[in-house]
Amino acid sequence: MVRLTVDLIANSRKHFKKKRGLSFLHYLKTLTHLYFSNKNIEEIGDLSMCRNLTVLYLYNNHLTNICSLDFASNLTHLYLQNNNITHMDNLSNLQSLSKLYLGGNRIAMVEGLEELRSLKELHLENQKLEPGEQLLFDSRTLLALADSLCVLNINNNNIEDIKELSVLKELQHFSAARNKLLFIEELEGVLELWPQLLALDLGGNPVCKTPKYRDRLIPVCKRLETLDGREINELTRQFLINWKASKEAKERRNNDQILAWPLAAHPTTNDFDVGQGPHPGHVYRPANMQGWEPLQPPESSVPLYQSRHLTLFH
């Protein structure tokens, strides 16, 4: 098993080189960047002497968990892509962390980031999930990141909806390409809550086949600069914003007319049978009966009781 330890650092040509008057212990205390990608590392050992570490590169290794980083309170960038990590554990002490790269692992639940109040970028693309599984989000983590997270990459994770992400109101770059997003109405509702959004990538989702897909999303995100990798012309944006406003105003007018029409056409009375139609005084059958007609008076002008009286005394 290959473990990342201070001995491995000492034996690395890329790192410590003996210099006159510089001890290895002093070197570890001043170390800020550590490059150990593609080294077949399976575990992180004791690096507590590297207290000034700010950037750690450990991508393309064989790590299965995150451990032994409690000392790294100054760490700002952590690169752990393309390992075999299954859980987002032991990150709570990394309170200076601003960028976290975890793409290409085996993570099924985004969690454990409640203490990372400085986190601005979270990259979780291409998780190696089980068949039928999708990437899920812990609501506590999302709420904790609501005021800080600016970049979120969740490409290719079988995600079916993003409603729970609506709390991330500071997002500027959101990438959810090659997922299973289907409903444009849901997207419109979420995007309305992201006023800072500048770049949006949803390419490869079924929703992209919705008629007028771009025309519907661009007016919702008034600061959006690119959609699915294509720049948005300012004239196009303004045209679509005006088009949307005109369409909504027309719909409101139509709705107002529909709501007002029954009151004008059919004035109400206290009688459910009389006065409801265009000819007050007529009695109507229910509207759902076929062939309804008003009940008319008899053709004869002789009152019915008089007709019977004449017959009896004929």
Side-chain angles (χ1 to χ4, degrees):
M1 174 185 289
V2 180
R3 300 177 75 239
L4 176 57
T5 62
V6 292
D7 291 336
L8 190 64
I9 296 172
N11 295 325
S12 171
R13 294 180 181 178
K14 192 169 185 176
H15 285 282
F16 181 63
K17 294 178 182 178
K18 265 193 173 181
K19 293 181 181 180
R20 186 177 299 177
L22 179 64
S23 68
F24 180 57
L25 181 59
H26 184 266
Y27 170 76
L28 291 177
K29 288 180 178 179
T30 59
L31 188 65
T32 59
H33 289 60
L34 205 51
Y35 303 88
F36 277 92
S37 56
N38 293 294
K39 300 295 183 183
N40 297 317
I41 293 172
E42 298 176 55
E43 186 176 345
I44 303 171
D46 183 8
L47 300 175
S48 57
M49 286 186 284
C50 307
R51 293 197 173 275
N52 286 311
L53 192 65
T54 58
V55 181
L56 178 57
Y57 294 93
L58 285 173
Y59 58 86
N60 295 343
N61 282 296
H62 303 294
L63 296 169
T64 57
N65 63 350
I66 304 170
C67 62
S68 304
L69 293 178
D70 290 348
F71 72 92
S73 58
N74 294 314
L75 196 67
T76 61
H77 295 56
L78 180 57
Y79 297 84
L80 294 170
Q81 312 96 294
N82 302 323
N83 281 279
N84 292 307
I85 297 167
T86 57
H87 293 88
M88 298 171 66
D89 294 330
N90 305 313
L91 292 167
S92 58
N93 284 350
L94 308 184
Q95 296 184 14
S96 298
L97 198 65
S98 63
K99 296 184 180 183
L100 177 57
Y101 293 82
L102 284 167
N105 281 283
R106 299 182 181 278
I107 296 166
M109 174 66 76
V110 181
E111 58 187 345
L113 306 180
E114 291 84 351
E115 302 302 320
L116 306 191
R117 304 287 177 167
S118 298
L119 193 66
K120 295 189 178 301
E121 296 190 21
L122 180 57
H123 300 263
L124 293 159
E125 71 282 359
N126 303 318
Q127 296 302 314
K128 293 170 273 190
L129 302 169
E130 296 295 326
E133 196 173 29
Q134 66 172 305
L135 185 65
L136 301 175
F137 297 84
D138 186 312
S139 59
R140 293 167 297 182
T141 282
L142 292 176
L143 287 172
L145 299 179
D147 295 326
S148 65
L149 198 66
C150 298
V151 178
L152 178 60
N153 183 346
I154 52 173
N155 289 347
N156 193 31
N157 283 312
N158 299 326
I159 294 171
E160 297 176 355
D161 70 73
I162 59 169
K163 290 192 293 292
E164 57 191 343
L165 303 182
S166 61
V167 297
L168 302 174
K169 57 183 182 292
E170 297 300 320
L171 276 185
Q172 297 178 13
H173 297 259
F174 178 64
S175 188
R178 302 186 305 282
N179 280 292
K180 296 181 178 180
L181 302 176
L182 182 60
F183 300 110
I184 196 164
E185 294 81 8
E186 175 194 295
L187 287 176
E188 289 174 320
V190 173
L191 296 177
E192 284 178 347
L193 301 175
W194 293 347
Q196 311 300 327
L197 198 64
L198 301 174
L200 175 63
D201 188 1
L202 301 172
N205 281 279
V207 71
C208 297
K209 298 178 182 179
T210 303
K212 296 188 180 297
Y213 159 75
R214 288 181 66 86
D215 292 355
R216 290 182 63 171
L217 293 189
I218 290 173
V220 176
C221 309
K222 293 180 172 56
R223 296 186 62 192
L224 200 63
E225 296 175 354
T226 62
L227 175 57
D228 300 343
R230 290 170 53 191
E231 289 189 7
I232 298 169
N233 181 285
E234 188 57 37
L235 289 175
T236 300
R237 184 206 316 279
Q238 198 56 52
F239 171 81
L240 291 173
I241 289 174
N242 293 339
W243 168 77
K244 181 173 185 261
S246 175
K247 181 180 177 183
E248 289 175 348
K250 184 177 180 181
E251 288 176 352
R252 284 195 298 271
R253 286 195 301 270
N254 290 340
N255 290 337
D256 290 343
Q257 290 173 1
I258 291 171
L259 290 172
W261 180 81
L263 297 176
H266 302 291
T268 58
T269 71
N270 292 329
D271 192 323
F272 289 100
D273 295 319
V274 180
Q276 299 296 321
H279 303 290
H282 288 178
V283 179
Y284 290 84
R285 298 191 184 99
N288 61 353
M289 290 182 64
Q290 296 294 324
W292 65 268
E293 291 184 4
L295 299 178
Q296 302 291 342
E299 293 183 6
S300 172
S301 59
V302 180
L304 185 57
Y305 74 90
Q306 292 184 19
S307 175
R308 291 177 179 172
H309 178 77
L310 291 173
T311 301
L312 290 171
F313 295 94
H314 181 71

